[in-house]
Amino acid sequence: MSDTDVLIKRSGLRNTKQRKAILDIIRISELPVTAEDVYLELKKQHIPVNLSTVYRTMETMSECMLIKKLRFLGEEKTFFEYFKAMHRHYLVCLRCKKILPISGCPLKSYEKTLEEKTDYSISGHRLDIYGYCPQCKETDNI
Amino acid sequence: MSDTDVLIKRSGLRNTKQRKAILDIIRISELPVTAEDVYLELKKQHIPVNLSTVYRTMETMSECMLIKKLRFLGEEKTFFEYFKAMHRHYLVCLRCKKILPISGCPLKSYEKTLEEKTDYSISGHRLDIYGYCPQCKETDNI
DNA sequence: CTACATGCAAACCGTTTGCACCCTA
DNA sequence: TAGGGTGCAAACGGTTTGCATGTAG
């Protein structure tokens, strides 16, 4: 029984071939993926699956906190990444759309301050940084 | 000639009744609005306009940097706000979806550091903070 | 008077859903 | 063998587009 099997079972989900394959793909990918990415990868691996199953599975898994939903500016599609305890931010190239993970989060103490100031209960934040990668910043931006 | 007229002309756009009315609505609103919000407000003011015109106009204006596009987590719709030089972040209530503007940005110096570390040319960031507002945090969250 | 703007309706595209069938536990 | 999972096709909802008409400059 693989790690992936354990993760699925522990979440109270039935362990089907499709779910295992989907979670494997998301876990292995070091970058966020879309439902379509996962679907195409499954096809490439000759694992029979329907796009709607991919959507349903990824929705279920994100409710179970196995994976996390992400959205980037100017991208109409929803991305997903494996749920790591340690949260991450990304630097996205506005020209080639390359996604670069950033280490560390600059907002830890800021959230506490804000909580006191606003009387909200802060549960988290979304931070993405945009710019041009070393390759793209050389060429005429825009 | 109103401020709004000047803004539109300065962007090289033709100054139609619809554009003026749309930009007025976005400028006056202190919170981000959706295309539908604007459309409904125009109807309320008895200004004849088509939804597709609203979308087209808001797209054009955001290309001209008159307004800015925003997206919030869990919201399928695109929001727009008037383009102010000073950028802003929002604290969004996960339960009632209320949007609270936050003063100040905690990321000024961080971007410089990151630029040096990654060799990217950073153009900006998106930061939204999520939590529960004073009212909603009292009731059972979720 | 002409190039840009608008209205209308239809297309689009990512995502969701209803329902019958399938298969894990 | 029962209840969750899947495939299929159709619907959905926000947004975009093609085309004919209108209007600002």
Side-chain angles (χ1 to χ4, degrees), chain A residues 19-55:
Chain A
R19 286 192 174 159
K20 179 171 161 38
I22 290 170
L23 187 52
D24 268 335
I25 290 170
I26 300 174
R27 287 184 66 204
I28 287 164
S29 170
E30 74 292 10
L31 290 181
V33 292
T34 64
E36 203 189 358
D37 292 338
V38 172
Y39 177 69
L40 293 175
E41 179 58 27
L42 289 165
K43 287 287 167 196
K44 198 185 294 175
Q45 298 179 15
H46 304 101
I47 296 169
V49 71
N50 190 277
L51 224 204
S52 66
T53 300
V54 177
Y55 276 110

Short mmCIF file of all heavy atoms in Angstrom, two decimals, chain A residues 19-55:
data_model
loop_
_atom_site.label_atom_id
_atom_site.label_comp_id
_atom_site.label_asym_id
_atom_site.label_seq_id
_atom_site.Cartn_x
_atom_site.Cartn_y
_atom_site.Cartn_z
N ARG A 19 -8.64 7.90 -8.43
CA ARG A 19 -8.23 8.80 -7.34
C ARG A 19 -6.76 8.67 -7.03
O ARG A 19 -6.07 9.66 -6.83
CB ARG A 19 -9.06 8.49 -6.09
CG ARG A 19 -10.46 9.00 -6.25
CD ARG A 19 -11.19 8.96 -4.95
NE ARG A 19 -12.48 9.61 -5.12
CZ ARG A 19 -13.52 9.41 -4.33
NH1 ARG A 19 -13.42 8.58 -3.31
NH2 ARG A 19 -14.64 10.04 -4.55
N LYS A 20 -6.30 7.43 -6.97
CA LYS A 20 -4.89 7.21 -6.70
C LYS A 20 -4.04 7.88 -7.77
O LYS A 20 -3.08 8.58 -7.46
CB LYS A 20 -4.62 5.70 -6.66
CG LYS A 20 -3.17 5.34 -6.41
CD LYS A 20 -3.02 3.85 -6.17
CE LYS A 20 -1.57 3.37 -6.38
NZ LYS A 20 -0.55 4.32 -5.89
N ALA A 21 -4.43 7.67 -9.03
CA ALA A 21 -3.64 8.22 -10.14
C ALA A 21 -3.65 9.75 -10.08
O ALA A 21 -2.62 10.39 -10.29
CB ALA A 21 -4.19 7.73 -11.46
N ILE A 22 -4.82 10.33 -9.80
CA ILE A 22 -4.93 11.79 -9.74
C ILE A 22 -4.07 12.36 -8.62
O ILE A 22 -3.29 13.29 -8.82
CB ILE A 22 -6.41 12.21 -9.58
CG1 ILE A 22 -7.18 11.91 -10.87
CG2 ILE A 22 -6.52 13.70 -9.22
CD1 ILE A 22 -8.70 12.06 -10.76
N LEU A 23 -4.19 11.77 -7.45
CA LEU A 23 -3.41 12.29 -6.32
C LEU A 23 -1.92 12.09 -6.54
O LEU A 23 -1.12 12.96 -6.19
CB LEU A 23 -3.86 11.64 -5.00
CG LEU A 23 -3.26 12.22 -3.72
CD1 LEU A 23 -3.43 13.73 -3.66
CD2 LEU A 23 -3.87 11.58 -2.49
N ASP A 24 -1.55 10.98 -7.15
CA ASP A 24 -0.14 10.75 -7.48
C ASP A 24 0.40 11.86 -8.37
O ASP A 24 1.47 12.40 -8.12
CB ASP A 24 0.02 9.41 -8.21
CG ASP A 24 0.31 8.27 -7.23
OD1 ASP A 24 0.83 8.54 -6.14
OD2 ASP A 24 -0.02 7.11 -7.56
N ILE A 25 -0.36 12.19 -9.39
CA ILE A 25 0.09 13.22 -10.32
C ILE A 25 0.28 14.55 -9.61
O ILE A 25 1.29 15.23 -9.78
CB ILE A 25 -0.91 13.37 -11.49
CG1 ILE A 25 -0.84 12.14 -12.39
CG2 ILE A 25 -0.65 14.65 -12.29
CD1 ILE A 25 -1.93 12.06 -13.42
N ILE A 26 -0.70 14.91 -8.76
CA ILE A 26 -0.60 16.19 -8.07
C ILE A 26 0.54 16.19 -7.06
O ILE A 26 1.27 17.17 -6.93
CB ILE A 26 -1.93 16.53 -7.37
CG1 ILE A 26 -3.05 16.61 -8.41
CG2 ILE A 26 -1.82 17.85 -6.60
CD1 ILE A 26 -4.42 16.78 -7.84
N ARG A 27 0.73 15.07 -6.38
CA ARG A 27 1.81 14.99 -5.39
C ARG A 27 3.18 15.07 -6.04
O ARG A 27 4.08 15.71 -5.51
CB ARG A 27 1.72 13.67 -4.61
CG ARG A 27 0.58 13.63 -3.62
CD ARG A 27 0.63 12.35 -2.82
NE ARG A 27 1.80 12.30 -1.97
CZ ARG A 27 2.35 11.17 -1.52
NH1 ARG A 27 1.85 10.00 -1.87
NH2 ARG A 27 3.40 11.21 -0.72
N ILE A 28 3.30 14.39 -7.18
CA ILE A 28 4.60 14.34 -7.83
C ILE A 28 4.97 15.68 -8.45
O ILE A 28 6.12 16.09 -8.42
CB ILE A 28 4.62 13.21 -8.89
CG1 ILE A 28 4.68 11.86 -8.18
CG2 ILE A 28 5.79 13.37 -9.85
CD1 ILE A 28 4.33 10.69 -9.05
N SER A 29 3.97 16.38 -8.99
CA SER A 29 4.26 17.66 -9.64
C SER A 29 4.77 18.68 -8.64
O SER A 29 4.16 18.91 -7.60
CB SER A 29 3.02 18.19 -10.32
OG SER A 29 3.26 19.52 -10.74
N GLU A 30 5.89 19.31 -8.97
CA GLU A 30 6.42 20.28 -8.03
C GLU A 30 5.77 21.65 -8.24
O GLU A 30 5.95 22.57 -7.46
CB GLU A 30 7.94 20.33 -8.07
CG GLU A 30 8.57 20.98 -9.26
CD GLU A 30 8.35 20.19 -10.57
OE1 GLU A 30 7.55 19.22 -10.61
OE2 GLU A 30 8.95 20.58 -11.57
N LEU A 31 4.94 21.76 -9.30
CA LEU A 31 4.24 23.01 -9.57
C LEU A 31 2.73 22.78 -9.58
O LEU A 31 2.28 21.66 -9.82
CB LEU A 31 4.66 23.56 -10.93
CG LEU A 31 6.08 24.10 -11.02
CD1 LEU A 31 6.35 24.63 -12.41
CD2 LEU A 31 6.29 25.21 -9.98
N PRO A 32 1.95 23.82 -9.33
CA PRO A 32 0.49 23.69 -9.39
C PRO A 32 0.02 23.21 -10.76
O PRO A 32 0.62 23.56 -11.78
CB PRO A 32 0.01 25.11 -9.12
CG PRO A 32 1.11 25.76 -8.36
CD PRO A 32 2.36 25.16 -8.92
N VAL A 33 -1.03 22.42 -10.78
CA VAL A 33 -1.57 21.88 -12.04
C VAL A 33 -3.06 22.18 -12.15
O VAL A 33 -3.74 22.37 -11.15
CB VAL A 33 -1.37 20.35 -12.12
CG1 VAL A 33 0.09 20.00 -12.26
CG2 VAL A 33 -2.00 19.65 -10.92
N THR A 34 -3.56 22.20 -13.38
CA THR A 34 -5.00 22.39 -13.61
C THR A 34 -5.66 21.03 -13.80
O THR A 34 -4.99 20.02 -14.01
CB THR A 34 -5.24 23.21 -14.89
OG1 THR A 34 -4.77 22.46 -16.01
CG2 THR A 34 -4.52 24.54 -14.84
N ALA A 35 -6.99 21.02 -13.75
CA ALA A 35 -7.74 19.79 -14.00
C ALA A 35 -7.37 19.23 -15.37
O ALA A 35 -7.21 18.02 -15.52
CB ALA A 35 -9.24 20.07 -13.92
N GLU A 36 -7.23 20.10 -16.31
CA GLU A 36 -6.90 19.65 -17.66
C GLU A 36 -5.51 19.02 -17.71
O GLU A 36 -5.30 18.00 -18.36
CB GLU A 36 -6.98 20.82 -18.64
CG GLU A 36 -7.19 20.39 -20.06
CD GLU A 36 -7.05 21.55 -21.03
OE1 GLU A 36 -6.83 22.69 -20.58
OE2 GLU A 36 -7.17 21.31 -22.24
N ASP A 37 -4.55 19.64 -17.03
CA ASP A 37 -3.20 19.06 -16.95
C ASP A 37 -3.28 17.62 -16.45
O ASP A 37 -2.66 16.72 -17.02
CB ASP A 37 -2.33 19.84 -15.94
CG ASP A 37 -2.01 21.25 -16.39
OD1 ASP A 37 -2.07 21.52 -17.61
OD2 ASP A 37 -1.70 22.08 -15.52
N VAL A 38 -4.02 17.44 -15.38
CA VAL A 38 -4.13 16.13 -14.75
C VAL A 38 -4.81 15.16 -15.72
O VAL A 38 -4.35 14.03 -15.91
CB VAL A 38 -4.93 16.22 -13.44
CG1 VAL A 38 -5.24 14.84 -12.89
CG2 VAL A 38 -4.17 17.04 -12.41
N TYR A 39 -5.87 15.63 -16.35
CA TYR A 39 -6.61 14.81 -17.30
C TYR A 39 -5.69 14.34 -18.44
O TYR A 39 -5.68 13.15 -18.79
CB TYR A 39 -7.77 15.62 -17.86
CG TYR A 39 -8.58 14.92 -18.91
CD1 TYR A 39 -9.38 13.83 -18.60
CD2 TYR A 39 -8.54 15.36 -20.23
CE1 TYR A 39 -10.13 13.20 -19.57
CE2 TYR A 39 -9.28 14.73 -21.21
CZ TYR A 39 -10.08 13.64 -20.88
OH TYR A 39 -10.81 13.02 -21.84
N LEU A 40 -4.92 15.25 -18.99
CA LEU A 40 -4.04 14.90 -20.11
C LEU A 40 -2.95 13.93 -19.67
O LEU A 40 -2.59 13.00 -20.40
CB LEU A 40 -3.43 16.17 -20.71
CG LEU A 40 -4.44 17.09 -21.40
CD1 LEU A 40 -3.77 18.36 -21.87
CD2 LEU A 40 -5.12 16.37 -22.57
N GLU A 41 -2.44 14.14 -18.47
CA GLU A 41 -1.41 13.25 -17.95
C GLU A 41 -1.98 11.84 -17.76
O GLU A 41 -1.32 10.84 -18.06
CB GLU A 41 -0.87 13.79 -16.62
CG GLU A 41 0.20 12.94 -15.96
CD GLU A 41 1.43 12.70 -16.84
OE1 GLU A 41 1.72 13.55 -17.70
OE2 GLU A 41 2.07 11.64 -16.68
N LEU A 42 -3.22 11.75 -17.28
CA LEU A 42 -3.87 10.45 -17.12
C LEU A 42 -4.01 9.76 -18.47
O LEU A 42 -3.75 8.55 -18.59
CB LEU A 42 -5.24 10.63 -16.47
CG LEU A 42 -5.21 11.02 -14.99
CD1 LEU A 42 -6.58 11.52 -14.55
CD2 LEU A 42 -4.78 9.84 -14.12
N LYS A 43 -4.42 10.51 -19.46
CA LYS A 43 -4.55 9.96 -20.81
C LYS A 43 -3.20 9.42 -21.28
O LYS A 43 -3.11 8.34 -21.84
CB LYS A 43 -5.03 11.04 -21.78
CG LYS A 43 -6.50 11.40 -21.62
CD LYS A 43 -7.38 10.29 -22.16
CE LYS A 43 -8.83 10.50 -21.71
NZ LYS A 43 -9.65 9.30 -21.89
N LYS A 44 -2.16 10.22 -21.04
CA LYS A 44 -0.82 9.83 -21.47
C LYS A 44 -0.41 8.51 -20.82
O LYS A 44 0.25 7.68 -21.42
CB LYS A 44 0.18 10.94 -21.12
CG LYS A 44 1.48 10.85 -21.90
CD LYS A 44 2.50 11.89 -21.43
CE LYS A 44 2.05 13.31 -21.74
NZ LYS A 44 2.99 14.32 -21.19
N GLN A 45 -0.83 8.35 -19.57
CA GLN A 45 -0.52 7.11 -18.84
C GLN A 45 -1.51 5.99 -19.16
O GLN A 45 -1.49 4.95 -18.52
CB GLN A 45 -0.52 7.39 -17.33
CG GLN A 45 0.52 8.38 -16.88
CD GLN A 45 0.47 8.63 -15.38
OE1 GLN A 45 -0.15 7.87 -14.63
NE2 GLN A 45 1.13 9.68 -14.91
N HIS A 46 -2.40 6.27 -20.11
CA HIS A 46 -3.41 5.29 -20.51
C HIS A 46 -4.30 4.85 -19.38
O HIS A 46 -4.72 3.69 -19.30
CB HIS A 46 -2.77 4.09 -21.21
CG HIS A 46 -1.93 4.49 -22.37
ND1 HIS A 46 -0.57 4.57 -22.31
CD2 HIS A 46 -2.27 4.89 -23.62
CE1 HIS A 46 -0.10 4.98 -23.48
NE2 HIS A 46 -1.12 5.20 -24.29
N ILE A 47 -4.59 5.78 -18.47
CA ILE A 47 -5.54 5.50 -17.40
C ILE A 47 -6.88 6.09 -17.83
O ILE A 47 -6.97 7.30 -18.03
CB ILE A 47 -5.07 6.12 -16.08
CG1 ILE A 47 -3.76 5.46 -15.65
CG2 ILE A 47 -6.13 5.98 -14.99
CD1 ILE A 47 -3.05 6.14 -14.51
N PRO A 48 -7.89 5.25 -18.01
CA PRO A 48 -9.17 5.75 -18.51
C PRO A 48 -9.86 6.60 -17.45
O PRO A 48 -10.03 6.16 -16.31
CB PRO A 48 -9.96 4.48 -18.80
CG PRO A 48 -9.39 3.45 -17.88
CD PRO A 48 -7.95 3.81 -17.71
N VAL A 49 -10.25 7.80 -17.80
CA VAL A 49 -10.91 8.68 -16.84
C VAL A 49 -11.65 9.77 -17.61
O VAL A 49 -11.29 10.10 -18.73
CB VAL A 49 -9.89 9.31 -15.87
CG1 VAL A 49 -9.05 10.33 -16.59
CG2 VAL A 49 -10.57 9.93 -14.68
N ASN A 50 -12.69 10.29 -16.98
CA ASN A 50 -13.47 11.35 -17.59
C ASN A 50 -13.09 12.67 -16.96
O ASN A 50 -12.81 12.75 -15.77
CB ASN A 50 -14.95 11.06 -17.36
CG ASN A 50 -15.82 11.97 -18.17
OD1 ASN A 50 -16.08 13.09 -17.77
ND2 ASN A 50 -16.22 11.52 -19.34
N LEU A 51 -13.13 13.74 -17.77
CA LEU A 51 -12.77 15.06 -17.24
C LEU A 51 -13.62 15.43 -16.02
O LEU A 51 -13.11 15.99 -15.06
CB LEU A 51 -12.98 16.13 -18.32
CG LEU A 51 -11.94 17.22 -18.53
CD1 LEU A 51 -12.56 18.43 -19.16
CD2 LEU A 51 -11.21 17.62 -17.26
N SER A 52 -14.88 15.08 -16.07
CA SER A 52 -15.74 15.46 -14.94
C SER A 52 -15.34 14.73 -13.66
O SER A 52 -15.48 15.25 -12.57
CB SER A 52 -17.21 15.24 -15.25
OG SER A 52 -17.48 13.87 -15.40
N THR A 53 -14.81 13.54 -13.82
CA THR A 53 -14.30 12.82 -12.65
C THR A 53 -13.09 13.53 -12.07
O THR A 53 -12.94 13.63 -10.86
CB THR A 53 -13.93 11.37 -13.04
OG1 THR A 53 -15.09 10.73 -13.53
CG2 THR A 53 -13.37 10.61 -11.86
N VAL A 54 -12.26 14.04 -12.95
CA VAL A 54 -11.09 14.77 -12.48
C VAL A 54 -11.54 15.99 -11.68
O VAL A 54 -11.07 16.22 -10.57
CB VAL A 54 -10.19 15.21 -13.65
CG1 VAL A 54 -9.02 16.04 -13.15
CG2 VAL A 54 -9.69 13.99 -14.42
N TYR A 55 -12.48 16.74 -12.22
CA TYR A 55 -13.00 17.90 -11.50
C TYR A 55 -13.60 17.49 -10.17
O TYR A 55 -13.33 18.09 -9.13
CB TYR A 55 -14.07 18.61 -12.33
CG TYR A 55 -13.50 19.58 -13.33
CD1 TYR A 55 -13.56 19.32 -14.68
CD2 TYR A 55 -12.91 20.77 -12.91
CE1 TYR A 55 -13.05 20.21 -15.60
CE2 TYR A 55 -12.40 21.66 -13.83
CZ TYR A 55 -12.47 21.38 -15.18
OH TYR A 55 -11.96 22.28 -16.09
#
